[in-house]
Amino acid sequence: MTTEAATRRIPGAPCWVSLLAHSLPATQEFYGALFGWEFRPGPQHFGPYARAFLNGREVAGLGELAPDRHLPVAWTTYLASDDADTTAEQIRSCGGTVAVGPLDADSAGRMAIASDPHGAIFGIWQGGTMMGTALSAEPGTPVWNELVTQDTDSVRTFYEHVFAFEAEAADAPGFDYLTLHLKGRAVAGIHGVGADLPRDRGPHWMTYFAVPDTDAAARRVTELGGHVLLPARDSAHGRLATVADIEGAAFTIIQPR
């Protein structure tokens, strides 16, 4: 197991990302063409579900919504837990909401879907036979997860109390950002964007996927029927662009430095 993959097993660290779409075949075709993913059946507790593989190792999950469920299509970040039931109780006691579970996903693990006090949705994953993303830091894999919210102060306490994050504020005037650490390692971030928070989405967790060339990947997204939401731009961590797939699920592609 790589160091990055091992870090994802630390309770509180992002360990898996999953997407529920209306058309699983079309969504598989999109991400297969974009990232080179291959697919195998996964737990069917919510309906059709497939695990995405890259070089024979699990990197993400794709599921299909029931026809009568008109939910927003979005990537969900799952945070690792040693005990999903205990974590669910902590979420509730700290002002969050548990909408689904905890429940068993076959023998793969135990999961719950929750939201923080401001409505940002995330998952909890207690690994069984499947511990989470088995490959990271390579093109086509999730490399960062970030909560986009109105301001960091309003949710900082929730995430620190529930997941024992150590939050470090960015040393940049006017930039409202917290890097979340576990056992001395940066595992996720919280970005306060104020009035720039999309009104149609509200607070949300954003998944970053590595790509070898951000500009080329953004063009490929468009060719495959997706959209570019924020054009390619440079950052301290690499060149990135925010895009949406064929059903509107937003994610960020990044060419790491």
Side-chain angles (χ1 to χ4, degrees):
M1 184 185 295
T2 65
T3 302
E4 292 87 351
T7 300
R8 291 170 183 267
R9 308 299 182 265
I10 301 172
C15 63
W16 185 247
V17 292
S18 188
L19 172 68
L20 288 178
H22 295 292
S23 172
L24 182 56
T27 301
Q28 286 178 317
E29 186 176 346
F30 175 88
Y31 286 100
L34 181 62
F35 292 138
W37 291 350
E38 297 177 343
F39 300 94
R40 302 175 194 169
Q44 307 291 308
H45 55 292
F46 282 143
Y49 191 83
R51 292 178 185 155
F53 287 75
L54 193 63
N55 300 326
R57 300 173 75 180
E58 292 165 310
V59 293
L62 298 177
E64 188 168 83
L65 287 162
D68 59 343
R69 296 187 72 188
H70 302 288
L71 300 175
V73 176
W75 280 97
T76 299
T77 297
Y78 282 76
L79 307 178
S81 172
D82 284 340
D83 187 326
D85 295 81
T86 298
T87 301
E89 285 303 317
Q90 291 171 330
I91 289 168
R92 294 187 187 100
S93 67
C94 290
T97 301
V98 178
V100 177
L103 53 83
D104 291 329
D106 299 339
S107 61
R110 191 162 173 79
M111 56 80 68
I113 301 293
S115 60
D116 68 25
H118 292 279
I121 295 170
F122 60 92
I124 299 300
W125 184 255
Q126 177 187 338
T129 58
M130 201 280 287
M131 295 302 295
T133 304
L135 185 66
S136 59
E138 295 187 19
T141 68
V143 291
W144 188 246
N145 291 268
E146 183 176 281
L147 171 64
V148 182
T149 191
Q150 190 159 18
D151 66 273
T152 59
D153 283 344
S154 61
V155 292
R156 175 176 185 159
T157 301
F158 172 83
Y159 286 98
E160 286 177 331
H161 283 182
V162 175
F163 298 105
F165 290 129
E166 295 177 0
E168 179 185 7
D171 186 18
F175 185 51
D176 186 15
Y177 197 94
L178 296 175
T179 301
L180 304 177
H181 294 81
L182 289 169
K183 297 187 176 180
R185 294 193 60 140
V187 297
I190 302 178
H191 189 189
V193 297
D196 291 333
L197 186 68
R199 291 186 178 182
D200 59 337
R201 295 195 65 196
H204 59 276
W205 278 86
M206 172 68 71
T207 300
Y208 287 63
F209 292 97
V211 293
D213 183 323
T214 297
D215 296 83
R219 289 192 296 270
R220 186 65 173 142
V221 166
T222 302
E223 292 169 0
L224 293 169
H227 300 88
V228 175
L229 303 178
L230 290 174
R233 58 211 184 271
D234 293 317
S235 75
H237 301 287
R239 188 161 175 80
L240 51 86
T242 304
V243 299
D245 68 16
I246 53 173
E247 292 193 8
F251 58 100
T252 296
I253 49 177
I254 183 167
Q255 178 183 341
R257 289 192 183 281

